[in-house]
Amino acid sequence: MTDFAKTRAMFHIPEGMIYLNGNSLGPMPKAAPDAMNRFLNDEWASELIKGWNTKGWFVQTNTLGDRIARLIGAPDGSTVVGDTLSIKVFQALSAALALVPDRRVILSDNGNFPTDLYMAQGLMKLKDDGFELRTPAPEDVLGQISDEVAVVMLTEVDYRTGRKHDMKAVIEKAHANGALVVWDLAHSAGAVPVDVTSTDADFAVGCTYKFLNGGPGAPAFIYVAPRLIETVEPFLSGWHGHEAPFAFDTDYRPMPGKIERMRIGTPSVASFALLDAALDAWDEVDMDDLRVRSIELSELFIKEVEARCPGLTLASPRDAHERGSHVSFRFEKGFECMQALIDSKVIGDFRAPDIMRFGITPLFITEADILKAVDVLEDILKTESWKDPRFQIRGAVT
């Protein structure tokens, strides 16, 4: 059994804070400062340019990729890390579309994270070849997969409500209709069990700053099914994906038959140091144990909020197996109420127009945290302290 008391001790949580926002930005691992100091003093300062070889910087895209692969059910050698999630979405979608050249429909949903849709829209403009982006409601996606569709592009867990797509069902229907699927695992990796191998996934991308706790701006990852890697053509053809990067050939040739072809340019090695330290927390975590604990804590949170906090309406699916590892409630004054919570050191976040979102992250959240958070929320609603003028002010980030 996974020892969640042990994992909790691996994170720095400020005294008195209940952090229910690990679904947006994970807390800092206690190992992070030492990891960064080692990088600065024992690698960059002493090795300088030699570090690409002596400290393995050049292959960290792959070694970190393999560490993440374990968490998404992928084999070694099928996942690389680097760039941002937006770039990885663009990269996966463009590669998938090239494998289905006779079709022009991209199917997503209107609950997808906006940047994924923006990436699709930008790619369609670049290609300028009659592509169409369809965005039905999430619950209608399965019924709209047809032989017109080239690529289904979905975020497995809805960033607002936590609603979870049935990965296996979507892939099976897409493949039966000759389409490919690109999965965004931003709210899945480290949150719920994922098995890209058994579900026969084509492409998957995700970030590492949420449930994986890699820090602000931590690099993203991309997975390509081994059965596709030989034929995938990188639309973004950077030198780190070249067959012979240090031959400095002026003509691009992708690395043959390897996930390295999905690398682009020089990665941030400093961010790799932080991510490597963060992934240590996962070494002894069983994802099935994590899922059980996530559901227990989520169910407790929902039960207590509904019993004690009138005016809030559950926005997440009622069935625990149909949602990820965050819980959302609708409230007309959700922004103001969330600011009052944050002021009381209960940290969640707000998503327009009226969603209060709470990350249930078993690596560092306990039952006592859940109960205390609801105590604070109940008091805010009873006293209407959210009406304080200072809680009406909106910052650049909500």
Side-chain angles (χ1 to χ4, degrees), residues 32-95:
D34 284 345
M36 185 53 68
N37 282 332
R38 282 195 302 273
F39 166 70
L40 293 174
N41 298 315
D42 300 339
E43 298 186 17
W44 185 16
S46 60
E47 297 299 284
L48 288 101
I49 194 68
K50 296 186 298 177
W52 288 103
N53 287 317
T54 61
K55 297 301 179 180
W57 294 346
F58 190 71
V59 297
Q60 278 187 296
T61 51
N62 299 64
T63 55
L64 290 171
D66 286 344
R67 296 191 75 182
I68 291 170
R70 183 184 75 83
L71 302 177
I72 62 171
D76 285 352
S78 63
T79 307
V80 288
V81 174
D83 314 298
T84 68
L85 179 52
S86 297
I87 294 297
K88 290 306 180 194
V89 169
F90 187 93
Q91 194 179 18
L93 179 59
S94 60

Side-chain angles (χ1 to χ4, degrees), residues 234-255:
F235 194 83
L236 294 172
S237 45
W239 74 298
H240 277 225
H242 194 280
E243 179 181 13
F246 291 92
F248 301 110
D249 190 343
T250 54
D251 293 319
Y252 184 77
R253 302 188 311 276
M255 180 73 74

Side-chain angles (χ1 to χ4, degrees), residues 90-375:
F90 187 93
Q91 194 179 18
L93 179 59
S94 60
L97 287 173
L99 294 172
V100 196
D102 57 333
R103 300 188 185 188
R104 293 294 179 270
V105 175
I106 302 166
L107 178 65
S108 188
D109 69 54
N110 61 18
N112 206 347
F113 193 70
T115 198
D116 292 31
L117 302 180
Y118 302 160
M119 288 293 111
Q121 292 162 7
L123 179 60
M124 289 162 59
K125 287 181 181 179
L126 280 176
K127 285 183 168 292
D128 192 22
D129 195 20
F131 283 90
E132 175 188 355
L133 175 62
R134 296 178 184 173
T135 55
E139 58 270 22
D140 296 333
V141 167
L142 202 59
Q144 294 208 23
I145 298 175
S146 69
D147 59 9
E148 288 185 291
V149 175
V151 177
V152 181
M153 181 188 70
L154 298 170
T155 299
E156 186 190 17
V157 175
D158 190 300
Y159 78 100
R160 302 163 307 168
T161 66
R163 181 192 183 276
K164 185 172 176 289
H165 279 291
D166 185 333
M167 181 180 284
K168 188 172 187 296
V170 169
I171 291 172
E172 286 180 350
K173 186 163 185 184
H175 288 180
N177 282 274
L180 296 174
V181 187
V182 172
W183 290 103
D184 183 338
L185 303 179
H187 288 275
S188 304
V192 297
V194 179
D195 194 336
V196 295
T197 298
S198 70
T199 56
D200 200 24
D202 302 307
F203 297 87
V205 298
C207 61
T208 62
Y209 51 80
K210 298 181 187 291
F211 291 93
L212 297 182
N213 314 299
F221 64 86
I222 184 168
Y223 160 83
V224 179
R227 59 183 162 77
L228 296 176
I229 196 62
E230 188 67 60
T231 53
V232 165
E233 290 292 333
F235 194 83
L236 294 172
S237 45
W239 74 298
H240 277 225
H242 194 280
E243 179 181 13
F246 291 92
F248 301 110
D249 190 343
T250 54
D251 293 319
Y252 184 77
R253 302 188 311 276
M255 180 73 74
K258 292 184 178 181
I259 191 63
E260 281 91 333
R261 65 172 52 196
M262 304 310 284
R263 300 189 305 198
I264 302 175
T266 307
S268 170
V269 179
S271 68
F272 281 179
L274 294 175
L275 176 58
D276 196 35
L279 292 174
D280 288 347
W282 294 95
D283 286 346
E284 298 179 22
V285 173
D286 182 282
M287 290 304 297
D288 290 329
D289 291 347
L290 181 124
R291 180 61 169 161
V292 169
R293 188 62 175 151
S294 168
I295 290 174
E296 289 173 350
L297 294 172
S298 299
E299 292 291 285
L300 176 63
F301 185 69
I302 292 169
K303 175 186 173 183
E304 293 293 323
V305 169
E306 292 190 325
R308 297 197 268 149
C309 302
L312 272 65
T313 304
L314 183 66
S316 299
R318 179 71 58 183
D319 185 341
H321 300 287
E322 294 179 2
R323 63 175 184 260
S325 200
H326 66 270
V327 173
S328 298
F329 281 89
R330 296 188 185 278
F331 182 51
E332 184 181 3
K333 297 296 182 179
F335 173 79
E336 295 85 347
C337 188
M338 183 55 70
Q339 299 315 298
L341 277 167
I342 292 170
D343 187 65
S344 297
K345 295 187 176 182
V346 176
I347 314 297
D349 64 11
F350 171 79
R351 290 294 176 261
D354 59 359
I355 287 180
M356 299 169 65
R357 194 173 66 157
F358 303 89
I360 310 299
T361 44
L363 260 62
F364 54 86
I365 294 296
T366 67
E367 286 187 12
D369 292 330
I370 295 292
L371 294 173
K372 178 62 177 175
V374 181
D375 287 343

